[in-house]
């Protein structure tokens, strides 16, 4: 799913959430265009390889937004190798992807709706993801998404993306986390 700051054109966040552990990956994109989403898929494929990408992302469930309309480019590599299968939720059915909706609620604690993303960097977004992924959750038996990760492929991806556990007493899910950034 994508998150935009305000109604202006500009930066967006692309978020992936793994259902089995609620781990969220967040990527800052320059815009909400389909090309930007394809670029993120290509980036992940370049670091994982198509086979590992397919193992980690066998199916992607998303909304019907225009940024996900380049189905062939999202499902296959430039070489034509299958990397995932893309499926769409029914319109106005956010309940069909509840994991991402809850994580996006956490995002809004840090970056309120209507705040521009123009002042943020990928490092800021990764920091926020680290705090969100370190938050313990009742539905995960009071463990954090990070504590639920066991696969070597997922651990490798986390390392490459700079994802790491934040100590429980240092977690911040408020505007203060990225508060040094100007309102844009």
């Amino acid at each position: 799913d994508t998150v935009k700051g305000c109604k202006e054109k500009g930066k967006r966040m692309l978020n992936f959430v793994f259902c089995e552990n609620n781990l969220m990956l967040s990527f800052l994109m320059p815009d909400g265009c389909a090309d930007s989403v394809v670029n993120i898929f290509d980036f992940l494929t370049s670091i994982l390889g198509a086979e590992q990408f397919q193992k980690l992302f066998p199916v992607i469930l998303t909304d019907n937004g225009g940024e996900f309309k380049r189905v062939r480019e999202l499902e296959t590599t430039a070489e034509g190798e299958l990397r995932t299968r893309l499926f769409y939720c029914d319109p106005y059915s956010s309940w069909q992807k509840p994991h991402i909706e809850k994580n996006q609620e956490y995002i809004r604690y840090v970056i309120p709706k209507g705040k521009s993303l123009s002042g943020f960097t990928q490092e800021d977004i990764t920091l926020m993801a680290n705090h969100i992924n370190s938050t313990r959750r009742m539905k995960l038996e009071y463990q954090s998404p990070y504590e639920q990760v066991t696969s070597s492929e997922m651990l490798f991806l986390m390392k490459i993306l700079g994802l790491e556990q934040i100590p429980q007493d240092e977690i911040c899910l408020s505007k203060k986390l990225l508060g040094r950034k100007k309102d844009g």
Side-chain angles (χ1 to χ4, degrees):
D1 203 5
T2 58
V3 171
K4 58 184 172 182
C6 53
K7 294 184 190 239
E8 70 183 23
K9 293 186 179 197
K11 291 183 179 179
R12 303 283 192 275
M13 277 189 293
L14 175 64
N15 299 305
F16 295 88
V17 174
F18 295 90
C19 295
E20 67 273 8
N21 54 31
N22 268 30
L23 181 76
M24 179 177 69
L25 308 180
S26 291
F27 299 94
L28 193 60
M29 301 186 303
D31 53 44
C33 296
D35 284 342
S36 295
V37 175
V38 171
N39 288 341
I40 299 289
F41 277 52
D42 289 344
F43 165 72
L44 289 169
T45 303
S46 74
I47 60 175
L48 293 169
E51 186 176 320
Q52 290 301 328
F53 186 102
Q54 188 175 26
K55 186 172 184 179
L56 285 171
F57 304 94
V59 170
I60 294 178
L61 177 64
T62 189
D63 60 32
N64 231 349
E67 65 271 33
F68 300 108
K69 293 300 183 194
R70 302 236 337 249
V71 177
R72 185 182 55 78
E73 291 93 338
L74 293 172
E75 288 188 335
T76 59
T77 65
E79 296 76 32
E81 201 173 348
L82 181 68
R83 64 176 156 200
T84 191
R85 296 293 311 207
L86 196 66
F87 294 93
Y88 296 103
C89 292
D90 295 322
Y92 306 104
S93 300
S94 60
W95 57 269
Q96 292 177 341
K97 50 186 179 88
H99 299 87
I100 199 144
E101 297 301 330
K102 181 59 181 173
N103 277 358
Q104 290 184 171
E105 181 181 322
Y106 288 134
I107 289 169
R108 292 305 184 192
Y109 296 159
V110 179
I111 304 173
K113 193 170 190 143
K115 180 173 177 156
S116 172
L117 300 178
S118 65
F120 296 107
T121 64
Q122 180 60 49
E123 291 76 21
D124 295 323
I125 301 307
T126 299
L127 175 65
M128 180 186 62
N130 281 333
H131 283 257
I132 292 170
N133 286 325
S134 296
T135 301
R136 292 184 175 151
R137 306 181 192 182
M138 185 170 62
K139 70 186 249 168
L140 297 176
E141 299 179 7
Y142 298 99
Q143 289 188 318
S144 71
Y146 283 149
E147 293 168 325
Q148 292 275 312
V149 173
T150 57
S151 82
S152 59
E153 295 86 7
M154 182 101 40
L155 291 167
F156 171 76
L157 180 60
M158 288 170 50
K159 182 178 180 183
I160 294 295
L161 297 177
L163 298 175
E164 55 192 23
Q165 179 88 25
I166 303 294
Q168 288 299 301
D169 61 345
E170 294 177 24
I171 294 172
C172 178
L173 293 180
S174 76
K175 294 183 282 187
K176 292 178 185 177
L177 179 64
L178 303 177
R180 68 189 186 287
K181 298 293 175 177
K182 296 178 198 170
D183 285 331

